[in-house]
Structures are given as C-alpha cells and as structure tokens.
Amino acid sequence: MRLTVLVDNNTLTDRYLLGEPGLSLLLRDGGRRVLFDCGYSDVLCVNAGRLGLDLGALDVVALSHGHLDHTWGLAHLVTLFTNRATEGRPPGRPLLVAHPEAFAQRRLNGLTIGSMVREATLGDHFTPRLTREPLRLTDWLFFLGEIPRQFPFEEAPPVGVRLTEHGTTPDTLPDDTALAYLGEEGLVIVTGCSHAGICNIVAHAREVTGETRLAAIVGGLHLHDASPDRVLAVTDWLAEAGVCALYPCHCTGLTAKLSLAARLPVHEVGVGLTLTFS
C-alpha cells in the first residue's frame, strides 16, 4: 500500500506544494485508488496536479467525518469531475464511503462547519455507501465504521451542534472513523482527526481485522488542545500497544507531538510525503 499526503497543515521542505489546515491522503493498494478526506479547498486538486496524480481515476472516496476541513474539498473534486466531463473525458463514479451522519448540518458559534455537498446530490457524481458498519474497500484495506468509545481518558467535549429533525444536539462526532490496512508487518491505521480517540480507533481496528500488531499510525490525533493528562494517557496506551511508527499531523499539535516523541517513534509529516507499507 502506497500513501501520499495531498493536504496537511504542513508542507515538506523543497517540495513546493501547498498546505492548509485540513487533511487528504491518497492510498493506492494494488490497482485501487482510495482518497481519504478532501481537505478544505482546491488545494487537494492543485497538489494532485503538481504531483501528476489523476483524481479523475479514483475508485473510492472515504470520509473520516463531516467537518469542513475534511469535506469542503469535496466540492472542488466535483468541479474537477464536471470539467473533465465537459471536455469529453468523463471520470468514473467512485464509491463514496462515509458514516450516515457525515453529511449532517453542523454549526459552531453560528458558523456552518459541516459538508457543503449535501447527501441528496451525492448520486450525481458518486456511488454513495453510507454505513455505520465496517466495510472492506480492498483485499487489505478496511473502512472501520462507527468507533465504540471505551476509554474514559479519551472523552472530549462536543464540537458545536449537529442539526437533527428534532432541533439540535451537542455534536460528539459519532461519524468520526478511520481506515485500517492489514499489512505483512501489522496494522496501519489511517485517521483523519481521531475525534473518537486514537486508542478507541486502534482497539476497534484490532477487533475488525483480527490483527493486534501495530505497524504504524498516520493522520491527525486531535490532541492540539488536549489536557496534559489526556496526552500522557494516550502516549502510555500507544506505547503499551507497541506502535512501530507514528506519523502525527493536522490537528495533533506541537506540544502533543513532543510528548508522544518522548516514548514513541514519531516521524515528520507534510504535503508530498509518500509512505509505502507491505
């Protein structure tokens, strides 16, 4: 499995690509191309173009959750699809996989922070598959579905509100999920923001795949405003879990990265980074 960082808060030196506070990763497993999250703007499409990657050839688009920094780039992806079609180069209809709540309307401090693309329009460009259950995307790559939240130290306050047919409810991000690649050296966890808690995500991935070895974690860990006690508890748990490589990015935060690096093999992440896992 080959993973390329297309959108992140950081960029790598001498790559001359664009960064933004969002996340998008392109995974290639065999002949399948899976786009995980879409970032905030057209940076996804700009960086893919500079890297010579054809987003019109995607097989799957999977969303980690419905926040703007992971879904607003979806509108620009739809624009790219439409432009190609008008030029006589129609793209395929990738499978779009997400939790059923990923397209809920969300607000924070009066601002819309949910997806701009509505669930009702997905069928115009994608084959939608909204599921709470785990889903196998390739022979070795899993969409984890809804993450059970079992560790009290990973409890976090709601982020704004989610609109429902009965009004609004505090948004605990029930749609937050991740991917798991079952490799020869163990699991590679690919996460967007880890609102569900990275330890909860790893525990669920182990249950879904039956694999306990933890080769790597790549993605946002949402520890940028976490308490020191929570960061310490997460660090201790991941160290005990035996993670072999940690690639924290996006919403992890410098203080948390330093704490994690004291006990774990932390590696730099930025736009343009390519990783290969067997």
Side-chain angles (χ1 to χ4, degrees):
M1 190 263 287
R2 186 177 175 87
L3 181 154
T4 301
V5 180
L6 292 181
V7 179
D8 184 36
N9 300 45
N10 299 315
T11 62
L12 296 182
T13 301
D14 293 334
R15 292 309 305 270
Y16 305 105
L17 298 164
L18 302 179
E20 69 177 9
L23 187 73
S24 181
L25 310 172
L26 181 64
L27 288 69
R28 282 165 285 183
D29 183 23
R32 302 275 286 173
R33 294 188 177 199
V34 178
L35 184 69
F36 183 60
D37 285 344
C38 299
Y40 175 76
S41 72
D42 66 344
V43 162
L44 162 67
C45 298
V46 172
N47 284 340
R50 291 184 181 181
L51 292 170
L53 300 172
D54 183 8
L55 296 180
L58 296 172
D59 297 291
V60 180
V61 175
L63 299 178
S64 66
H65 65 298
H67 274 167
L68 73 174
D69 49 340
H70 298 258
T71 64
W72 279 19
L74 189 60
H76 296 277
L77 185 61
V78 167
T79 299
L80 182 146
F81 288 175
T82 303
N83 290 343
R84 284 175 59 104
T86 59
E87 295 166 0
R89 300 182 297 128
R93 289 176 56 84
L95 184 70
L96 191 146
V97 182
H99 186 282
E101 295 290 341
F103 293 93
Q105 296 183 58
R106 295 180 144 101
R107 300 225 171 97
L108 177 64
N109 298 328
L111 298 175
T112 295
I113 61 168
S115 173
M116 287 195 294
V117 176
R118 296 292 175 227
E119 181 180 343
T121 65
L122 293 178
D124 293 342
H125 304 279
F126 304 95
T127 300
R129 181 71 183 273
L130 304 183
T131 177
R132 289 180 169 82
E133 301 302 318
L135 180 67
R136 202 162 196 153
L137 303 179
T138 73
D139 288 344
W140 309 109
L141 185 65
F142 297 79
F143 174 83
L144 293 178
E146 190 162 325
I147 308 294
R149 305 189 183 192
Q150 57 180 295
F151 299 114
F153 63 82
E154 291 202 293
E155 290 181 7
V159 181
V161 297
R162 193 170 72 256
L163 277 63
T164 72
E165 58 183 8
H166 304 295
T168 61
T169 185
D171 193 4
T172 57
L173 281 297
D175 51 316
D176 186 81
T177 187
L179 305 181
Y181 174 73
L182 183 55
E184 293 178 1
E185 298 177 356
L187 290 175
V188 178
I189 306 297
V190 182
T191 183
C193 257
S194 303
H195 288 284
I198 187 58
C199 304
N200 288 324
I201 290 169
V202 170
H204 187 53
R206 285 171 161 175
E207 182 177 347
V208 168
T209 63
E211 174 62 77
T212 59
R213 295 173 301 155
L214 193 53
I217 297 172
V218 185
L221 305 184
H222 212 269
L223 296 172
H224 65 92
D225 57 357
S227 69
D229 287 345
R230 178 179 175 183
V231 173
L232 180 59
V234 169
T235 302
D236 288 345
W237 194 94
L238 292 178
E240 181 67 24
V243 59
C244 296
L246 182 60
Y247 297 86
C249 59
H250 182 42
C251 55
T252 304
L254 177 61
T255 300
K257 288 179 184 178
L258 293 173
S259 178
L260 292 163
R263 295 193 58 195
L264 298 166
V266 170
H267 300 270
E268 184 179 12
V269 183
V271 178
L273 176 68
T274 296
L275 302 169
T276 302
F277 301 99
S278 57

